[in-house]
Structures are given as structure tokens and as C-alpha cells.
């Protein structure tokens, strides 16, 4: 069963960041202790900057919010350049109650990431899961081929994903070949999902995820099965939508 997903289109990157920050702040206002999952990537950077600015202006208090990362590379130290740990330290400079990130040097990564997903459930699940989308249709690190029921696990990264992170790690050879990710099924357990995409390079994959029948070829398309998804796009990322 699929339901049409809600799609909001705003003019540009700046408008997208304002709008995404508004949604997160509204949630914190109505529920001061929400549990959120927040993504890495270039897309949410400006949104996080807006949140930091609002916190500094004392207009929003995030101190009771609990944040979970959705994925992390595997086989590198926590503070290595390019890791998601580094990303959050650099960009999500908010005073939150807790920020949970999988340990990239976990000895037993499969057990570690499964326990990580379980700890989200123990807290009552995600009130809001914010996601980006990879140019190959991945969500978190659920690469093409990931099924609707896939759980938290260790994955082999697709070439496109490693290329996208080459700059962060210094070169593509330095990008770990594997990562830990929450599974599609874990992400779909969130009460609400907000997907952010901007720029023309995302336009075709956004169209496939939103308008084509759901399939493991485009893991983001599995979100059609969730009743509470909102896509927030800039005009360039929305430019291939037909509906
Ligand atoms: C990554 C992450 C995703 C992210 C995606 C898009 O590698 N694992 O969580 O949403 O790529 O990133 P960007 O926003 O840089 O296009």
C-alpha cells in the first residue's frame, strides 16, 4: 500500500534551510524532549547553521532534545576527518541532551549498530527522522538493493557514495569501503519523516523516489509506504517532478 507523499517546494537552499529549521523548532516547541534522527551531508549544513543561530538568539531551547545519527563509516577512528562524528561536532553545535553516533571503530560492528537501533526503540522511537537522499537513491547508507524490511547493519558502500565523501577523507582510496547504517525498516518506524533535497543533480533521483513504483533500486522510494513523509525540495531538485 502506498500513499502519495507530501512535497513542498521552496525557491532555493536558503529557503529550504529556514523551512527545515522551522519544522524542527516547531517540534521542540510542542514537545520539548523529542527524539530526532539527523543526517550528515552537504544538504543539512545550512539548516544546522540556522538552528545554532536560533539557539544563540535564545529563541529556542534544544537542551532536552535527543539526537541520533543515522549512519557512520566503519574501520576508522572516531575523530578521523571525514567521519560523521566529525561532521556533527563541526556543524551541529547545539546544546542537546544527548547526541548518539555509532562508533566507527566498534569491534563488533553488526552487534553495535543493531544495539544502536534498539536504543532508539527503547526511547519510544523517533518523533522526527530528517533524511537526505544520495544521487543513487540511498537513504542513510541504505544503498540500492536495500529492501523495505532491511534492518540496522553493516553495508558495503556504493562507488557513488565513496566518491561523494572523497573530499572529506582526502581521497577516494581513504574512504572506508564499509559503513554502519540504520535500516530502511528502522527509518520507516519514525512517526514523521522529513526528506531534504536541493540542486539539479538530485532532480531525477527525487522524481524516481517520489513518482516511480517503490523498489530496492531506489531505496528512498520505500518511503511511499509511510503516511507521514514530507519532501522539502528547492526548485532545482523538484524540476523533474511531473505531478
Ligand atoms: C550521505 C549520507 C546520507 C546523506 C546523503 C546525501 O553519504 N549517508 O545520510 O543524506 O549522503 O548527502 P548530500 O546532502 O551531501 O547530498
Amino acid at each position: 500500500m502506498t500513499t502519495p507523499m507530501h512535497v513542498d517546494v521552496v525557491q532555493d537552499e536558503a529557503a529550504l534551510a529556514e523551512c527545515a529549521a522551522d519544522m524542527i523548532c516547531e517540534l521542540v516547541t510542542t514537545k520539548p524532549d523529542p527524539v530526532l534522527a539527523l543526517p550528515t551531508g552537504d544538504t543539512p549544513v545550512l539548516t544546522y547553521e540556522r538552528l545554532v543561530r536560533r539557539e544563540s538568539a535564545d529563541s529556542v531551547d534544544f537542551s532536552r532534545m535527543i539526537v541520533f545519527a543515522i549512519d557512520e563509516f566503519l574501520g576508522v577512528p572516531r575523530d578521523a576527518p571525514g567521519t560523521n562524528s566529525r561532521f556533527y561536532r563541526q556543524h551541529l553545535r547545539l546544546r542537546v541532551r544527548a547526541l548518539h553516533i555509532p562508533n566507527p571503530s566498534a569491534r563488533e560492528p553488526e552487534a553495535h549498530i543493531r544495539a544502536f537501533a534498539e536504543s532508539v526503540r527503547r526511547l519510544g522511537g523517533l518523533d522526527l527522522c530528517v533524511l537526505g537522499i544520495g544521487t543513487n537513491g540511498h537513504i542513510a547508507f541504505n544503498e540500492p538493493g536495500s529492501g523495505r524490511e532491511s534492518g540496522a547493519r553493516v553495508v558495503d558502500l556504493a562507488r557513488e557514495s565513496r566518491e561523494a565523501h572523497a573530499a572529506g577523507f582526502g581521497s577516494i582510496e581513504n574512504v572506508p569501503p564499509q559503513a554502519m547504517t540504520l535500516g530502511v525498516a528502522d527509518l520507516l518506524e519514525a512517526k514523521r519523516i522529513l526528506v531534504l533535497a536541493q540542486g539539479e543533480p538530485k532532480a531525477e533521483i527525487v522524481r524516481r523516489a517520489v513518482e516511480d513504483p517503490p523498489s530496492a533500486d531506489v531505496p528512498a522510494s520505500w518511503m511511499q509506504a509511510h503516511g507521514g513523509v514530507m519532501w522539502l525540495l528547492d526548485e532545482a531538485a523538484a524540476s523533474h517532478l511531473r505531478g
Side-chain angles (χ1 to χ4, degrees), residues 38-44 70-73 84 88 130-135 138-143 157 161 164-165 181 196-198 202:
L38 294 177
T40 59
D42 292 335
T43 312
I70 52 176
D71 51 22
E72 178 56 292
F73 294 92
N84 291 352
Y88 290 108
V130 183
L131 297 173
I133 177 172
T135 48
H138 74 214
I139 43 174
F141 270 137
N142 292 282
E143 300 284 23
L157 292 175
S161 302
H165 288 274
T181 186
L196 310 176
Q198 64 200 20
K202 296 283 173 75

Side-chain angles (χ1 to χ4, degrees), residues 16 43 131-133 195-199 202 206 231-234 237-238:
L16 186 141
T43 312
L131 297 173
I133 177 172
V195 197
L196 310 176
Q198 64 200 20
K202 296 283 173 75
V206 165
W231 287 77
L232 181 56
L233 309 172
D234 71 358

Side-chain angles (χ1 to χ4, degrees), residues 183-233:
V184 173
D186 301 307
L187 302 173
L188 291 180
E189 280 174 20
K191 295 179 186 81
R192 287 198 295 152
I193 300 176
L194 171 65
V195 197
L196 310 176
Q198 64 200 20
E200 215 282 323
K202 296 283 173 75
E204 185 53 19
I205 200 69
V206 165
R207 188 201 62 72
R208 291 178 65 195
V210 172
E211 296 184 345
D212 282 356
S215 113
D217 294 342
V218 180
S221 66
W222 293 127
M223 288 187 286
Q224 293 177 31
H226 191 288
V229 180
M230 177 172 149
W231 287 77
L232 181 56
L233 309 172

Side-chain angles (χ1 to χ4, degrees), residues 15-40:
L16 186 141
E18 284 300 336
C19 209
D22 283 348
M23 281 189 62
I24 294 168
C25 291
E26 260 166 49
L27 173 63
V28 175
T29 309
T30 52
K31 184 176 187 201
D33 57 352
V35 182
L36 272 79
L38 294 177
T40 59

